Amino acid sequence: MLPVAPPEGAPALVPSQRSSDRKSPAQDGVLLALPATAATASVLRSLRADGLDVAPAHDGIGVLDAARAGVPALVVLDVELPGPDVSTVVGALQAEVASAPIVGVTPRERRSSLLGLLRADRDDYVLRPFAVDELVARIRLRLRQGGLIEEKVVRVGDLAVDPDLGEVQVDGRPVALSPTEFSLLMALVSEAGETVSHDRIAQRVWTELASANLVQVYISYLRRKIGAERIRTVRGAGYVLEG
């Protein structure tokens, strides 16, 4: 995990390890800079459940203190975080921990201004509200491009899923999914062959509470695209992804 900030007057940042020496983000940590809300707590739990080492920060000063204390592998930064203006925070991060990609979280109306701050070859963004697995995919893609994690394609029968790139193939044929559909598929893929409850799916896919009816609707959408026979309903319990 990222250490706490050093006392005033502490030595400057220590350079990060060579990317070739780091194959897991757990060695440096993902800095999750989102407002202190119940939804953020849910996102934090989900990212950790996906194997990411994540340290939270809830205001701009906390982000900069944590980044200066130990160079993170990546920073997830909400543009509406309390504290200094986002342009100040982004500029400081890019100057002081330049090796760390930034994944901005922004409402649609602030997208254009955020894009003007990001580095096209390194940074990324997601629109709020977002599906948790969409954020996971963006994080893993940026870490993989930096050499921090290895490529991983998950296969369930003739279904192939690239969690980093958000790509899906059925029997070698590309399938286009919406972000929510992809997040739903990842919730099932992560426990392939096991029953995944409505509540577990809702927690993994939506940052807000989702009804069983909403889950059922998106299950039907997903079935149309990957094949109805691949998702079995367990009455009263949930759904099973089968090969």
Side-chain angles (χ1 to χ4, degrees):
M1 299 289 291
L2 294 171
V4 297
E8 186 175 355
L13 287 171
V14 176
S16 61
Q17 294 173 285
R18 297 190 310 273
S19 62
S20 59
D21 294 334
R22 297 178 296 172
K23 294 300 183 185
S24 168
Q27 294 182 20
D28 291 273
V30 171
L31 181 55
L32 183 70
L34 300 178
T37 64
T40 294
S42 177
V43 171
L44 179 62
R45 288 192 298 270
S46 295
L47 294 182
R48 287 174 173 169
D50 271 284
L52 295 169
D53 185 6
V54 186
H58 301 305
D59 59 61
I61 297 299
V63 173
L64 297 179
D65 285 346
R68 288 162 179 160
V71 179
L74 179 144
V75 180
V76 177
L77 179 67
D78 193 301
V79 301
E80 296 181 338
L81 209 62
D85 183 79
V86 65
S87 62
T88 300
V89 177
V90 169
L93 289 172
Q94 291 173 344
E96 298 185 44
V97 287
S99 62
I102 297 171
V103 176
V105 178
T106 179
R108 186 174 297 276
E109 60 271 19
R110 295 191 63 175
R111 173 182 174 274
S112 295
S113 58
L114 173 64
L115 288 177
L117 302 174
L118 300 182
R119 298 163 294 186
D121 63 334
R122 181 177 298 271
D123 301 325
D124 206 342
Y125 74 94
V126 293
L127 294 176
R128 189 173 61 234
F130 58 86
V132 175
D133 282 339
E134 179 187 3
L135 178 60
V136 170
R138 301 288 180 124
I139 290 172
R140 290 193 176 277
L141 173 60
R142 290 299 166 181
L143 292 177
R144 192 172 83 183
Q145 290 177 336
L148 301 178
I149 60 174
E150 297 173 344
E151 182 177 357
K152 181 178 66 176
V153 174
V154 180
R155 300 184 186 279
V156 182
D158 60 5
L159 175 70
V161 183
D162 187 324
D164 299 344
L165 299 181
E167 295 177 349
V168 179
Q169 292 187 353
V170 175
D171 196 19
R173 174 179 54 86
V175 177
L177 301 181
S178 71
T180 302
E181 291 166 350
F182 183 79
S183 296
L184 175 56
L185 178 60
M186 287 303 303
L188 297 173
V189 164
S190 66
E191 301 181 51
E194 303 292 333
T195 301
V196 187
S197 70
H198 297 88
D199 290 345
R200 174 66 175 156
I201 290 173
Q203 181 185 41
R204 289 288 304 275
V205 177
W206 288 275
T207 54
E208 304 295 336
L209 185 63
S211 68
N213 285 341
L214 182 60
V215 173
Q216 185 177 14
V217 167
Y218 273 90
I219 286 287
S220 68
Y221 293 160
L222 187 57
R223 278 174 167 154
R224 292 173 192 170
K225 293 186 176 182
I226 69 169
E229 72 283 358
R230 291 183 173 82
I231 303 177
R232 176 166 57 89
T233 299
V234 180
R235 188 174 297 277
Y239 301 93
V240 179
L241 181 67
E242 300 179 325

